[in-house]
Amino acid sequence: MNKPFAITLEVGSSLANKTGSWRTMRPEYLDRLPPCNAACPAGENIQSWLYHAEGGDYESAWRALVADNPLPAIMGRVCYHPCETACNRALHDAAVGINSVERFLGDAALKKGWAFAPPAAGTGKRVLVVGAGPSGLSAAYHLRRLGHAVKIVEAGPLAGGMMRFGIPKYRLPREVLDGEVRRILDLGVELELGRKVTDIRAEMAAGRFDAAFLAVGAHIGKRAYIPAGSAARMLDAVSVLRGMEGEDKPMLGRRVVVYGGGNTALDVARTARRLGASEAIIVYRRTREKMPAHDFEVEEALQEGVMIKWLSTIRNMADEGTLTVEKMTLDDKGFPQPTGEFETLEADSLVLALGQDVDLSLLDGVPGLEIRDGVAVVGPDMMTGFPGLFAGGDMVPSERTVTVAVGHGKKAARHIDAWLRDTRHAPPPKHELAAFDKLNTWYYSDASKTVRPMLDVARRSSTFDEVVQGLDESNALFEARRCLSCGNCFECDNCYGVCPDNAIIKLGPGQRYEINYDYCKGCGICVEECPCGAINMVPEKI
Amino acid sequence: MIQQTIKFYQTGTFTVGNRLLDESQRSVQANMERTNSLNSGHRACQGCGEALGARYAIDAAMRATGNRLIAVNATGCLEVFSTPYPESSWQIPWIHSLFGNAAAVASGIAAALRMRGQDDVRVIAQGGDGGTTDIGFGCLSGMFERNDDVLYLCYDNEAYMNTGVQRSSATPPTARTATTMAVGDEPGNPFGTGKNVPLIAMAHHIPYVATATVANLRDLEAKVTKAMALRGARYIHIHVPCPLGWGSDPALTIRIARLAVESGLFPLFEAAHGELTSRTFIRRRVPAAEYLRLQKRFAHLFTAGAEAQLARVQAIADRNIERFGLLAPESAS
Ligand SMILES: Cc1cc2nc3c(=O)[nH]c(=O)nc-3n(C[C@H](O)[C@H](O)[C@H](O)COP(=O)(O)OP(=O)(O)OC[C@H]3O[C@@H](n4cnc5c(N)ncnc54)[C@H](O)[C@@H]3O)c2cc1C
Ligand SMILES: Cc1ncc(C[n+]2csc(CCOP(=O)(O)OP(=O)(O)O)c2C)c(N)n1
Ligand code: SF4
Ligand SMILES: [Mg+2]
């Protein structure tokens, strides 16, 4: 016998014993839909770009971001970030500051001069885009990347739409806007400024366009009937804000009253303060809770000394600027009802910020086109009733935000592309939601959101400097690393570590893991200990 | 191994790995080249804490010694499920002799290595709580008092699991086992019995004593690594849930081990030469009931009339928290 001492049989390995046969349930990797992504109106894959940012690879992060949205520096300033409202981390400590990281990436791209990847090979198709607001710009960008020739016709003197002629500078500096517009044009998008399209069919025929995307926005200020003396100074908010872009700033006087409760009302009141008004009073007929404006904007306005009169309507305006205001009360359905109690307010000007209507005159006589409640009706593919004519942004039913407009532009571009190829664009099925209860939060360390440094109030209300400052690199990295990576493996090695049977195979950086079903007994520890909910237990087919 | 103190990570160092950390600062278990000392195909039950604890500890010791290691194993589940002769899951030099003599066999191997002048080869003895705190206790105490150059690892699953869940001197009060049935006035294992071997080891004034758990890999690896950097008798007592014996869901093995720590029932500490030198703070304190409720061996504590028993278990947890100072200063209440 030629064996070592005390050995009578060859030493064997337990690998001969395929313990995987014990299994009745099997773990499987999956990607779940992070709540931030689910909530993003522009369809950004937020979790994915944060993943790149976490590693400090900002350029890859930016590239992942602009695959969906070409305007990150703008987004990082004006987006109302529904992603943060939905963010799972809010249930743990505080939501990830997604918006500030987006801004950091957008600014980094502008600073470093990162350019978009060149467009796909030319398709020979021509698409007309009407309006260079966010929706038109987004559609043009996506269509151009897909290889189509794109021309934008814009009525105004500069591109940007409401981002330029609505949103004030102190929230969106114009260098940022110009930089992001320029980058889209650099892709080879043609832009004609200063010409209003008056007949869409004629325009398409003249330019031999194969399809068109309309994004003319909503620019006609709504009026309310307020009896007023002939010398009373009554203006509309959109004109006031548009006037801010010209040489001669609007004359509002020292006491300005703004009528309305949306973000536009706040922007006008804050602008009035910056123009030197000692009093800027917003009059709104309902309560703060019912106000459509966002809370943080109300807060910032109040800090700047804007005053707000809740539950009040304006009845008339006399010549010398005396406003009669009636107190309101909410009925049990939450609607404001008059009380018969009046008071007066002194005002040099009254600015109406009651919302905007769409100028749809360029669509006159287009067959099949339907208009309902003052906006154009489109299908789920963003196409109007007239084949080849698509529309999006404020001119179709929407929440009327920059982000929704960008999302419409992207979606329309995909459907236009399919339509031009005689196919249909079918978006891939959505993953199930990575809800908070799918996470194992033990593994996440606690750290609160980095609050964006605020310019001090005094400085802010007297200048048009940007109010909210960006994150610097270390802050941005910290913030990105707070992401829980909901529903998507971030290679924390937990599954690889916690398996008592070594049945997880680590494939190496960026490659994730595989399960060795020869030995996996189906205990489910990996599923339980996966921080981000990227493994699922499914019954074994027996 | 360095214990990470970087604050601003997504997951701190609570996860096994962290792609954002420098390779040298990641755990042994995160490494693609880890030894997998205890390989696949072993016959441990689904979700076995002992199999996991053994791989964690021995892989860390292998890394710490540059793979110059011999392990002695007492009889018990770990030996039986890993090595049904002539098959073995062990990928390291490994020897089994008897149930009660692991410490003595290890002492002998250490002596032989010393005689041969092979001081680069290190020795580990390992066994279950029965093999350690009961039948092997004499050999263990002898190994300690002679300060033999051995690291002894006790995998504490709180009963004689391999032979069908009989009580050991490490079985906690109230736990139901095959020999402490949940009947009578004081159902389960009686209060006032058992022994605390880590504290007894400290009383031998050996160079190093620590407790560890499968719920805290980083802490466990750091302790094994530290132990392997020292010479003389060393002891690490590792808490390893047993789904079969405890009546718990195999998927919850780590969660249960974590709750034992977070409730204060299993304190994590280190001692050198008889003095307590560190403790691992509780991160999110929980009532003992949260730990107990997940295990059928404690089911009788959640029936009417068992309130006093439950309160006594909670009192043990509270006493541990106080005695070992388990709350971080800022969260102490
Ligand atoms: C004061 C104010 C503040 C706002 N603040 C925010 C904010 O902070 N965040 C946010 O998300 N949203 C904000 N919004 C809403 C947001 O600006 C709009 O929802 C968004 O700009 C709509 O994009 P759009 O592309 O549909 O239209 P627009 O941005 O309105 O762009 C339409 C463009 O089409 C051009 N055009 C119109 N008719 C024609 C024509 N016939 N021919 C050629 N060109 C034409 C217009 O000149 C304009 O440039 C704000 C709006 C206002 C008014
Ligand atoms: C001298 C002797 N007595 C009894 C046994 C039977 N026996 C084998 S393993 C075991 C229990 C082991 O319990 P423990 O040490 O806690 O390890 P576990 O199986 O729980 O991991 C017993 C009693 C034996 N092998 N030798
Ligand atoms: S934690 Fe990250 S992935 Fe999860 S919702 Fe927030 S940003 Fe998205
Ligand atoms: Mg045991």
Short mmCIF file of all heavy atoms in Angstrom, two decimals, chain B residues 50 76-77 99 127-131 154-162 166 168 170-171 240 242 246, ligand 4:
data_model
loop_
_atom_site.label_atom_id
_atom_site.label_comp_id
_atom_site.label_asym_id
_atom_site.label_seq_id
_atom_site.Cartn_x
_atom_site.Cartn_y
_atom_site.Cartn_z
N GLU B 50 -22.48 27.83 11.69
CA GLU B 50 -21.18 27.29 12.04
C GLU B 50 -20.29 27.17 10.79
O GLU B 50 -19.10 27.50 10.82
CB GLU B 50 -21.34 25.92 12.71
CG GLU B 50 -20.05 25.40 13.30
CD GLU B 50 -20.28 24.23 14.26
OE1 GLU B 50 -20.71 23.15 13.81
OE2 GLU B 50 -20.08 24.42 15.46
N GLY B 76 -17.97 16.99 16.30
CA GLY B 76 -19.11 17.91 16.35
C GLY B 76 -19.58 18.12 14.92
O GLY B 76 -19.01 17.56 13.98
N CYS B 77 -20.61 18.94 14.78
CA CYS B 77 -21.16 19.16 13.45
C CYS B 77 -20.08 19.54 12.44
O CYS B 77 -20.00 18.98 11.36
CB CYS B 77 -22.20 20.27 13.48
SG CYS B 77 -23.80 19.69 14.03
N PHE B 99 -13.60 13.99 20.51
CA PHE B 99 -14.54 15.05 20.90
C PHE B 99 -13.90 16.01 21.91
O PHE B 99 -14.00 17.22 21.78
CB PHE B 99 -15.79 14.38 21.50
CG PHE B 99 -16.93 15.30 21.79
CD1 PHE B 99 -17.08 16.53 21.16
CD2 PHE B 99 -17.92 14.92 22.71
CE1 PHE B 99 -18.16 17.36 21.43
CE2 PHE B 99 -19.00 15.75 22.98
CZ PHE B 99 -19.12 16.96 22.35
N GLY B 127 -13.69 23.89 17.79
CA GLY B 127 -14.70 22.94 18.21
C GLY B 127 -16.00 23.64 18.53
O GLY B 127 -16.07 24.87 18.55
N GLY B 128 -17.03 22.87 18.75
CA GLY B 128 -18.33 23.42 19.13
C GLY B 128 -18.33 23.79 20.61
O GLY B 128 -17.33 23.61 21.32
N ASP B 129 -19.46 24.32 21.06
CA ASP B 129 -19.53 24.73 22.46
C ASP B 129 -19.47 23.52 23.39
O ASP B 129 -18.85 23.57 24.45
CB ASP B 129 -20.80 25.54 22.72
CG ASP B 129 -22.05 24.86 22.20
OD1 ASP B 129 -22.14 24.69 20.96
OD2 ASP B 129 -22.91 24.49 23.00
N GLY B 130 -20.08 22.41 22.97
CA GLY B 130 -20.02 21.21 23.81
C GLY B 130 -18.59 20.74 23.96
O GLY B 130 -18.08 20.54 25.07
N GLY B 131 -17.92 20.63 22.83
CA GLY B 131 -16.53 20.17 22.82
C GLY B 131 -15.60 21.13 23.56
O GLY B 131 -14.53 20.73 24.02
N CYS B 154 -13.91 28.65 19.35
CA CYS B 154 -15.13 27.92 19.76
C CYS B 154 -16.29 28.44 18.94
O CYS B 154 -16.57 29.64 18.93
CB CYS B 154 -15.40 28.14 21.25
SG CYS B 154 -17.02 27.51 21.74
N TYR B 155 -16.96 27.55 18.21
CA TYR B 155 -18.17 27.93 17.46
C TYR B 155 -19.36 27.62 18.32
O TYR B 155 -19.75 26.46 18.49
CB TYR B 155 -18.22 27.18 16.13
CG TYR B 155 -16.99 27.42 15.28
CD1 TYR B 155 -16.06 26.42 15.06
CD2 TYR B 155 -16.77 28.67 14.71
CE1 TYR B 155 -14.92 26.65 14.29
CE2 TYR B 155 -15.63 28.91 13.95
CZ TYR B 155 -14.72 27.90 13.74
OH TYR B 155 -13.60 28.13 12.99
N ASP B 156 -19.92 28.67 18.87
CA ASP B 156 -20.97 28.50 19.89
C ASP B 156 -22.35 28.53 19.25
O ASP B 156 -22.87 29.59 18.91
CB ASP B 156 -20.81 29.63 20.92
CG ASP B 156 -21.82 29.51 22.05
OD1 ASP B 156 -22.55 28.48 22.10
OD2 ASP B 156 -21.88 30.44 22.88
N ASN B 157 -22.95 27.33 19.12
CA ASN B 157 -24.35 27.29 18.67
C ASN B 157 -25.25 26.87 19.82
O ASN B 157 -26.40 26.51 19.63
CB ASN B 157 -24.52 26.41 17.43
CG ASN B 157 -23.92 25.02 17.63
OD1 ASN B 157 -23.73 24.59 18.77
ND2 ASN B 157 -23.65 24.33 16.54
N GLU B 158 -24.71 26.93 21.01
CA GLU B 158 -25.48 26.89 22.26
C GLU B 158 -26.15 25.55 22.56
O GLU B 158 -27.14 25.51 23.27
CB GLU B 158 -26.48 28.05 22.31
CG GLU B 158 -25.77 29.41 22.11
CD GLU B 158 -26.66 30.62 22.32
OE1 GLU B 158 -27.88 30.50 22.14
OE2 GLU B 158 -26.12 31.69 22.66
N ALA B 159 -25.61 24.48 21.99
CA ALA B 159 -26.08 23.12 22.38
C ALA B 159 -25.27 22.08 21.61
O ALA B 159 -24.48 22.41 20.72
CB ALA B 159 -27.57 22.94 22.10
N TYR B 160 -25.48 20.83 21.97
CA TYR B 160 -24.87 19.71 21.25
C TYR B 160 -25.73 19.45 20.03
O TYR B 160 -26.69 18.69 20.08
CB TYR B 160 -24.87 18.45 22.12
CG TYR B 160 -23.92 18.49 23.29
CD1 TYR B 160 -24.23 19.21 24.44
CD2 TYR B 160 -22.73 17.79 23.23
CE1 TYR B 160 -23.37 19.24 25.50
CE2 TYR B 160 -21.85 17.81 24.31
CZ TYR B 160 -22.18 18.54 25.44
OH TYR B 160 -21.32 18.57 26.50
N MET B 161 -25.39 20.09 18.93
CA MET B 161 -26.26 20.01 17.78
C MET B 161 -26.11 18.70 17.02
O MET B 161 -27.07 18.13 16.55
CB MET B 161 -25.99 21.19 16.84
CG MET B 161 -26.33 22.53 17.47
SD MET B 161 -27.98 22.48 18.24
CE MET B 161 -28.11 24.13 18.87
N ASN B 162 -24.89 18.22 16.95
CA ASN B 162 -24.65 17.09 16.08
C ASN B 162 -25.37 15.83 16.53
O ASN B 162 -25.71 14.98 15.74
CB ASN B 162 -23.15 16.83 15.99
CG ASN B 162 -22.84 15.85 14.90
OD1 ASN B 162 -23.16 16.10 13.74
ND2 ASN B 162 -22.28 14.72 15.25
N GLN B 166 -28.80 18.56 22.42
CA GLN B 166 -28.83 18.45 23.88
C GLN B 166 -28.21 19.70 24.49
O GLN B 166 -27.37 20.34 23.89
CB GLN B 166 -28.04 17.20 24.35
CG GLN B 166 -28.67 15.87 23.93
CD GLN B 166 -28.26 15.45 22.53
OE1 GLN B 166 -27.34 16.01 21.94
NE2 GLN B 166 -28.96 14.46 21.97
N SER B 168 -25.91 22.20 26.59
CA SER B 168 -24.51 22.27 27.00
C SER B 168 -24.39 23.36 28.05
O SER B 168 -25.38 24.04 28.37
CB SER B 168 -23.60 22.62 25.81
OG SER B 168 -23.63 24.01 25.57
N ALA B 170 -23.18 26.02 27.55
CA ALA B 170 -23.30 27.30 26.85
C ALA B 170 -24.74 27.56 26.43
O ALA B 170 -25.03 28.58 25.80
CB ALA B 170 -22.39 27.33 25.63
N THR B 171 -25.63 26.65 26.75
CA THR B 171 -27.05 26.86 26.40
C THR B 171 -27.62 27.98 27.27
O THR B 171 -27.43 27.96 28.49
CB THR B 171 -27.85 25.56 26.62
OG1 THR B 171 -27.29 24.54 25.79
CG2 THR B 171 -29.32 25.75 26.25
N VAL B 240 -22.63 31.45 16.53
CA VAL B 240 -23.06 30.91 15.23
C VAL B 240 -24.45 30.29 15.32
O VAL B 240 -24.63 29.18 15.79
CB VAL B 240 -22.05 29.86 14.71
CG1 VAL B 240 -20.73 30.50 14.33
CG2 VAL B 240 -21.79 28.75 15.71
N CYS B 242 -27.87 28.29 14.72
CA CYS B 242 -28.12 26.97 14.16
C CYS B 242 -29.61 26.87 13.85
O CYS B 242 -30.43 26.70 14.75
CB CYS B 242 -27.72 25.92 15.20
SG CYS B 242 -28.29 24.26 14.82
N TRP B 246 -32.18 25.80 16.74
CA TRP B 246 -32.83 26.97 17.32
C TRP B 246 -34.26 27.14 16.80
O TRP B 246 -35.01 27.96 17.29
CB TRP B 246 -32.05 28.26 17.02
CG TRP B 246 -30.67 28.31 17.63
CD1 TRP B 246 -30.01 27.27 18.24
CD2 TRP B 246 -29.79 29.45 17.69
NE1 TRP B 246 -28.76 27.70 18.66
CE2 TRP B 246 -28.60 29.02 18.34
CE3 TRP B 246 -29.88 30.77 17.24
CZ2 TRP B 246 -27.52 29.88 18.56
CZ3 TRP B 246 -28.81 31.63 17.46
CH2 TRP B 246 -27.64 31.18 18.12
MG MG C 4 -22.81 23.14 19.74
#
